[in-house]
Amino acid sequence: MGDFFDIFFNFQFMADHFDVVFQGFLVTLKLSAVGGALALVWGLILAVLRQVPGKWLAPVRWLVIAYIDCLRGLPLLLVIMLLYSGLATLATQGLIPRDIGIPQWFGQPDPFWYGVMALTLTYGAYMAEVYRAGIEAVPRGQTEAARSLGMSHGQAMRFIIVPQAVRKVIPPLLNDFIALMKDTALVSVIGLVEAVQAGRDLYSEFYNPSGFTLGAFMFLIVTIPLARFVDRLIKNQNEKFQRGLP
Amino acid sequence: MSQTVEMPEVARGETILRVHNLKKSYDKLEVLRDIDLDIKKGEVICVLGPSGSGKSTMLRCLNLLELPTGGTIELKGDVVFEGDKPKNLDDLRRETGMVFQSFNLFPNMTAKGNVSIAQIRVRGRKKDDADQRSIDELTKVGLAEKVDEYPDRLSGGQQQRVAIARALAMDPEIMLFDEVTSALDPELVKGVLDVMRELADSGMTMICVTHEIGFAREVADRVIFMDGGYIVEQGPPAEVLGDPKEERTQKFLGLVLDH
């Protein structure tokens, strides 16, 4: 039993290398925050574009649907690799500006930004579907009332439908955010040292996996309360629904 | 949004809305067949008919919530719809207010917010002006005390009166009422009908799809009876309700009044 603790819960080891893992976890948090925020916005844009009315804009709708289908059907790891290798190659061959091909904006290294892009593109597609479900769950009468008051499709979406839809889908969006946060670990494959890679570095150096355990603790400290919070939101919404309120 | 064109004023008693040959079908199912209708300014029209007769569809075609599949709609002499295309959808919607059976208030806004939002976003009124107007309109429908309440704190009848105030605040030329009391508990119907009665007295042009025969008899200038997508019979309430010529009207009224 002592061995087990030495291997997985070596508190001395954790204390000695806390800073390495913690710095990595800060990168995880930063990546989650930036990627998550952009995915939330991108997802909403996609969802709204998917619903643009009219014959002439049909290609826009098809394009968005194809995009969402593709990105939901691809492994995030592949998207990360493709962006990283693709953009870097384009930049070194002078086909796109170096600042865009190898982004190092705001003092963050380029793997961070490839990670942000991949998470935004992929999770934007997931979240677009969540928003769509929310938009479709707003009763048709709301659109009719808005249109009958003279609002255009865009105004009805912006002032009436989307605000109600977003409220309905906050819990599933937060669930997606939790998933996104866990998936940031994948960005380690292109050389970003986040919480998981920090544990891996420690393991290679000291042959002790307690760094992973420490990283796991840090994840759980954030994800479990978030998940609980989501549960509570859902419960509140259900109660409201059961009281028969719209 | 199209350029706002000043619409000509129409004097009371002159034709404000002219519907010619209006058709609506869903695939093979014809819901409206050759509807012809002239509506005069200040006129109050009640549309009766069994369910499935096309009366709600006709009303919804009048402000193009449903696109007709044929015919023309002229508003104040301007063609706003022809063939199968809206020509001037914004003009038409701006001039018509609509009240729905299921109220369709915006649940995330107070009564005042409901009445103000389109004034601000569509009419371009300043928020303070819009809010003042909203309070005025809500006061007129007897809801001065409720301006800051959310719809879920209001009874069905109160919600429906907010919906009426919301439409009126847009200064419509014509008000369309789509079975606005059908979803209400019996004791709440009167409050809504009273508001509509006052509105009719104030000279508003109104088209009401309704099952309230009493209201039609008392308030309408003209009653239209529809069945099978046609206007079967129309005329003053005393004629259509008191002495219907058509068998289908007689049958319907027999069924409705016999209980």
Side-chain angles (χ1 to χ4, degrees), chain A residues 6-201:
Chain A
D6 274 348
I7 294 169
F8 291 103
F9 297 96
N10 190 326
F11 292 117
Q12 187 57 49
F13 183 88
M14 289 186 194
D16 291 346
H17 303 285
F18 181 86
D19 204 45
V20 174
V21 179
F22 187 65
Q23 288 306 320
F25 191 65
L26 286 182
V27 173
T28 299
L29 287 180
K30 241 184 293 182
L31 187 55
S32 308
V34 179
L38 291 175
L40 276 174
V41 175
W42 180 228
L44 183 56
I45 293 172
L46 289 171
V48 169
L49 285 178
R50 195 188 166 132
Q51 314 260 341
V52 289
K55 233 184 284 179
W56 299 108
L57 292 172
V60 174
R61 293 194 291 271
W62 297 334
L63 220 64
V64 171
I65 290 168
Y67 169 92
I68 292 173
D69 283 350
C70 287
L71 276 125
R72 288 201 309 159
L74 289 174
L76 176 59
L77 186 57
L78 186 146
V79 179
I80 294 170
M81 298 275 211
L82 195 61
L83 274 170
Y84 153 78
S85 57
L87 286 177
T89 307
L90 288 172
T92 44
Q93 300 204 350
L95 293 168
I96 54 171
R98 206 180 158 77
D99 268 356
I100 290 171
I102 306 175
Q104 294 178 330
W105 311 317
F106 301 105
Q108 300 297 320
D110 50 299
F112 179 87
W113 291 112
Y114 296 131
V116 166
M117 289 176 205
L119 289 167
T120 303
L121 292 178
T122 302
Y123 274 88
Y126 285 121
M127 290 178 178
E129 289 295 280
V130 173
Y131 284 120
R132 177 170 73 119
I135 289 170
E136 283 172 0
V138 176
R140 210 182 137 60
Q142 294 287 306
T143 313
E144 291 185 348
R147 298 306 297 273
S148 78
L149 290 165
M151 289 190 198
S152 64
H153 171 84
Q155 287 177 317
M157 283 296 256
R158 184 169 152 214
F159 300 119
I160 307 299
I161 306 304
V162 168
Q164 291 182 54
V166 167
R167 238 171 260 209
K168 283 178 205 267
V169 298
I170 287 172
L173 284 177
L174 280 175
N175 274 333
D176 271 359
F177 177 76
I178 295 171
L180 175 147
M181 187 172 164
K182 295 184 294 174
D183 273 352
T184 55
L186 290 169
V187 186
S188 64
V189 297
I190 57 170
L192 187 72
V193 184
E194 38 63 69
V196 177
Q197 184 60 39
R200 207 171 156 197
D201 290 348

Side-chain angles (χ1 to χ4, degrees), chain A residues 140-152 155 158-160 163-164 167 240 245-246, chain B residues 1 60 63 65 89 93 96 98 100 104-109 117-118 121-122 152 166-167 170:
Chain A
R140 210 182 137 60
Q142 294 287 306
T143 313
E144 291 185 348
R147 298 306 297 273
S148 78
L149 290 165
M151 289 190 198
S152 64
Q155 287 177 317
R158 184 169 152 214
F159 300 119
I160 307 299
Q164 291 182 54
R167 238 171 260 209
K240 205 171 168 191
L245 306 180
Chain B
M1 192 132 286
R60 294 160 60 84
N63 74 348
L65 276 182
L89 194 140
R93 293 244 179 89
T96 54
M98 176 121 182
F100 301 86
N104 296 344
L105 292 187
F106 307 132
N108 51 336
M109 299 175 197
I117 179 90
R121 300 299 178 180
V122 177
D152 59 22
R166 177 172 72 178
M170 300 297 285

Side-chain angles (χ1 to χ4, degrees), chain B residues 39-199:
Chain B
I39 294 147
K40 298 187 168 48
K41 192 172 163 79
E43 203 177 9
V44 177
I45 297 177
C46 283
V47 185
L48 309 177
S51 55
S53 59
K55 52 197 194 308
S56 279
T57 306
M58 181 187 77
L59 198 71
R60 294 160 60 84
C61 281
L62 291 184
N63 74 348
L64 303 180
L65 276 182
E66 302 279 354
L67 282 188
T69 37
T72 53
I73 302 176
E74 280 175 43
L75 178 69
K76 298 178 175 179
D78 277 1
V79 177
V80 289
F81 180 91
E82 187 165 40
D84 55 3
K85 282 187 193 58
K87 288 210 157 8
N88 221 334
L89 194 140
D90 290 333
D91 275 346
L92 181 58
R93 293 244 179 89
R94 244 197 315 269
E95 305 283 332
T96 54
M98 176 121 182
V99 186
F100 301 86
Q101 180 176 354
S102 49
F103 328 138
N104 296 344
L105 292 187
F106 307 132
N108 51 336
M109 299 175 197
T110 60
K112 190 173 68 184
N114 264 278
V115 185
S116 289
I117 179 90
Q119 295 184 60
I120 297 167
R121 300 299 178 180
V122 177
R123 288 284 190 225
R125 290 181 191 146
K126 292 211 174 56
K127 185 169 185 307
D128 289 346
D129 298 346
D131 281 347
Q132 190 51 53
R133 175 69 189 271
S134 300
I135 292 167
D136 293 348
E137 292 295 343
L138 286 166
T139 306
K140 275 191 227 163
V141 297
L143 294 173
E145 313 285 297
K146 303 286 184 185
V147 292
D148 291 319
E149 295 282 8
Y150 283 87
D152 59 22
R153 311 286 301 172
L154 300 173
S155 74
Q158 290 168 337
Q159 289 193 49
Q160 196 57 295
R161 281 183 278 154
V162 175
I164 293 172
R166 177 172 72 178
L168 289 175
M170 300 297 285
D171 297 319
E173 291 270 4
I174 306 170
M175 285 285 285
L176 308 176
F177 293 87
D178 189 7
E179 300 192 26
V180 294
T181 55
S182 299
L184 296 177
D185 291 337
E187 76 273 20
L188 302 176
V189 169
K190 186 172 176 298
V192 172
L193 291 184
D194 284 347
V195 167
M196 290 169 70
R197 205 169 277 132
E198 270 172 44
L199 194 58

